Amino acid sequence: MWEEPCISGTTGSGTIFFTGCSLGCVFCQNHEISRRKNPGTSFSGTSDGACASFPYELPGRVYSIEEFADAMLDLQAQGANNINFVTGTHFVPHIIEGVRLAREKGLSIPTLFNCGGYESAETIRSLEGTIDIYLPDMKYFSGKISAKYSHAPDYFEHAKEAITEMVRQCPKQVFDEKGLMKKGVIVRHLMLPGMLFDSKHVLDYLCETYGNRITISLMNQYTPMPGVPSELSRPLPPEHYRAMVDHLALLGQENAFIQEGGTVSESFIPDFE
């Protein structure tokens, strides 16, 4: 229920989380599934009979393609507005096959690719015809900052190319009579404490490049997690967030979501157990 209003609506987004992530953000709220490690346990065996060994337990459960497609149909039957794939970059071939099978079985709601933005343009191109809505992050502008907090000094270049491809596939935003998005691109930017000018550069780039062809979701819900660097151990200053909301307006961005106060909360963190 906690996605943007045109995604969640009143009945919710049908969210499927994937284990693992292409980034290693030090402040990750979903670390339970993105990089939880449990030394001393291992997983062996692959579908083709070869052996693969991982030095940690993989949370979640294994689905066959058929079970994966049925999970989408089950979410649709529950009234979900869309099928929302979260951090599925490293499962793209399975997503393509799963959506194809689910559509053959009657899936009719939009599919959504919800990612951190650190994707290759080639990967996004392969999703053309499979994904209806793209929901990427654009986390950083500075390579120094992205290297420090997400171990990805080339983050901006990859995110820029990936979003270019997403907008090529979805050049117009399409909504139904209830205001739910059927096709389009929403780019999220989570503001971090102390990174005001980096946020400004991100918003400048998005507005100058795409304007109102995309929707920008400016987020203030940063929640300090245990073990983050000291400069990230505090919430975002409210005045910094208000300054960027004003900046978006000055840039002429009309397609945007902003968050009201009180969003810094662990209620935004799913219970992955």
Side-chain angles (χ1 to χ4, degrees):
M1 296 301 297
W2 304 113
E3 308 289 33
E4 284 73 7
C6 64
I7 301 299
S8 288
T10 59
T11 56
S13 178
T15 309
I16 297 175
F17 288 86
F18 292 86
T19 297
C21 183
S22 57
L23 288 167
C25 303
V26 298
F27 52 84
C28 181
Q29 294 183 352
N30 293 347
H31 62 87
E32 281 287 307
I33 62 167
S34 67
R35 61 178 186 273
R36 181 173 66 182
K37 296 186 178 181
N38 185 5
T41 63
S42 64
F43 171 82
S44 298
T46 62
S47 59
D48 61 2
C51 289
S53 182
F54 302 92
Y56 53 90
E57 178 186 7
L58 297 175
R61 55 165 288 198
V62 176
Y63 284 75
S64 68
I65 292 295
E66 290 75 17
E67 290 171 327
F68 180 40
D70 288 343
M72 298 181 217
L73 295 169
D74 181 57
L75 288 166
Q76 178 174 261
Q78 292 180 52
N81 295 313
N82 44 64
I83 302 299
N84 185 343
F85 302 118
V86 183
T87 60
T89 302
H90 44 300
F91 288 97
V92 159
H94 309 83
I95 290 174
I96 293 170
E97 183 63 16
V99 169
R100 182 196 63 77
L101 182 57
R103 285 175 174 165
E104 289 179 358
K105 292 183 172 185
L107 183 71
S108 59
I109 56 178
T111 53
L112 188 154
F113 195 70
N114 184 338
C115 63
Y118 193 56
E119 336 294 326
S120 72
E122 180 182 4
T123 296
I124 301 303
R125 274 193 295 273
S126 72
L127 286 165
E128 187 167 10
T130 296
I131 298 299
D132 300 304
I133 301 167
Y134 286 100
L135 186 60
D137 294 334
M138 182 167 263
K139 297 178 183 292
Y140 314 100
F141 183 86
S142 164
K144 180 180 290 187
I145 295 174
S146 63
K148 183 175 183 180
Y149 296 133
S150 292
H151 310 289
D154 54 351
Y155 175 87
F156 179 74
E157 291 305 316
H158 280 293
K160 181 173 68 172
E161 292 175 2
I163 293 172
T164 295
E165 175 58 24
M166 294 173 188
V167 176
R168 184 194 70 78
Q169 293 179 30
C170 304
K172 295 182 179 180
Q173 300 178 97
V174 179
F175 300 87
D176 68 9
E177 66 281 358
K178 296 179 181 179
L180 294 172
M181 181 173 274
K182 296 299 182 182
K183 199 164 185 71
V185 178
I186 301 174
V187 181
R188 288 172 166 172
H189 176 66
L190 173 66
M191 291 184 64
L192 300 176
M195 309 298 155
L196 181 63
F197 288 105
D198 199 66
S199 289
K200 180 181 181 298
H201 290 315
V202 168
L203 298 182
D204 286 346
Y205 170 78
L206 291 173
C207 291
E208 291 169 5
T209 306
Y210 302 110
N212 288 296
R213 289 187 291 156
I214 66 169
T215 294
I216 295 174
S217 183
L218 184 63
M219 305 167 76
N220 70 351
Q221 70 185 55
Y222 173 75
T223 302
M225 301 300 291
V228 297
S230 58
E231 67 272 19
L232 296 181
S233 62
R234 57 190 173 93
L236 177 73
E239 62 272 18
H240 286 188
Y241 185 70
R242 288 195 297 270
M244 287 301 97
V245 171
D246 291 343
H247 187 62
L248 264 183
L250 289 172
L251 290 170
Q253 188 68 23
E254 298 176 353
N255 292 333
F257 288 109
I258 62 173
Q259 292 180 311
E260 297 178 347
T263 57
V264 179
S265 169
E266 291 190 359
S267 66
F268 280 85
I269 305 172
D271 179 4
F272 293 111
E273 296 300 330

